[in-house]
Amino acid sequence: MYKILSILSLAILLCSASLKAQVDNYALKFNKEGNVSFGTMNEMNELSAYTVQFWICPSSWTERATIFSRGETFSAKLGVEGELLFTIGQELVSVINGDGNLVVRINNEVVKTESRSFVIPTSTDAFMLGGNFDGRIDELRIWRTVLSSDYNYRWQNTLNQYHPQWKDLIAYYKFDQNFCPNIVDYTFHHH
């Protein structure tokens, strides 16, 4: 009986340890001096239909802090408190939590729709994360297409190769490799 209880106790201990490991959520944590370069992503050149997804949690809101950028012609930055500024070519789009071709969703709720075309200019600049940004960035996804509307029920999920638009991913960073010194692109193109 003692052996059965010991084995049962060990099994419960192992199960509880694995359950704890499943709820850990890792992200890149930036201080204002930090940034990450992913190199040149030529697949982004001249795209007129695309989706960029990312999760941010600023520790402090610093106006003009960079979330991501590719030179001066493609970026997302913090504006005034509660505002995101997107630069695409010569266009600057301000998104404020409130209400075409540009649809911005925050927590899967549409907050802005623009009916203009926003083409990503050709650039040899590296795609960068961070730049005077203080906080966390998680789950960065860059798609070479607009996501289909049936994606709505999966917006919070981690992706895998069974996603119906997986082939359209340019880069996908989970930022969950807590024991890996490198940042992994799950499309295996831009580590």
Side-chain angles (χ1 to χ4, degrees), residues 86 88 91-95 99-104 110-118:
F86 293 93
I88 307 114
E91 300 285 339
L92 178 65
V93 179
S94 169
V95 177
D99 130 275
N101 288 335
L102 173 72
V103 177
V104 178
V110 174
V111 296
K112 186 170 191 97
T113 302
E114 290 280 340
S115 58
R116 296 177 283 162
S117 178
F118 297 96

Side-chain angles (χ1 to χ4, degrees), residues 3-56:
K3 282 185 177 180
I4 291 174
L5 287 176
S6 294
I7 291 172
L8 184 59
S9 297
L10 180 61
I12 290 171
L13 180 64
L14 289 174
C15 287
S16 68
S18 71
L19 288 176
K20 180 189 180 313
Q22 292 175 1
V23 298
D24 286 341
N25 185 17
Y26 300 100
L28 286 183
K29 185 172 183 187
F30 289 89
N31 59 27
K32 291 187 177 196
E33 293 79 35
N35 63 46
V36 177
S37 173
F38 295 98
T40 303
M41 292 186 185
N42 292 326
E43 301 93 331
M44 294 171 63
N45 289 340
E46 301 301 318
L47 284 179
S48 59
Y50 50 90
T51 302
V52 179
Q53 297 175 296
F54 57 91
W55 287 259
I56 61 169

Side-chain angles (χ1 to χ4, degrees), residues 16-27 136 138-139 158 174-179:
S16 68
S18 71
L19 288 176
K20 180 189 180 313
Q22 292 175 1
V23 298
D24 286 341
N25 185 17
Y26 300 100
R136 292 176 293 164
D138 197 12
E139 285 280 333
T158 301
K174 296 181 195 180
F175 304 125
D176 63 354
Q177 300 82 25
N178 60 325
F179 295 116

Side-chain angles (χ1 to χ4, degrees), residues 117-185:
S117 178
F118 297 96
V119 177
I120 301 174
T122 298
S123 176
T124 58
D125 291 317
F127 186 82
M128 304 284 293
L129 282 186
N132 205 28
F133 180 79
D134 184 19
R136 292 176 293 164
I137 300 176
D138 197 12
E139 285 280 333
L140 173 69
R141 303 168 185 168
I142 305 169
W143 304 80
R144 72 179 91 248
T145 189
V146 176
L147 292 178
S148 64
S149 60
D150 69 345
Y151 182 73
N152 290 339
Y153 72 93
R154 295 175 290 204
W155 69 274
Q156 290 180 318
N157 295 333
T158 301
L159 300 179
N160 60 38
Q161 68 273 17
Y162 301 111
H163 184 281
Q165 289 182 269
W166 179 264
K167 66 181 177 9
D168 295 321
L169 274 169
I170 292 172
Y172 174 36
Y173 303 100
K174 296 181 195 180
F175 304 125
D176 63 354
Q177 300 82 25
N178 60 325
F179 295 116
C180 180
N182 301 308
I183 296 175
V184 176
D185 171 15

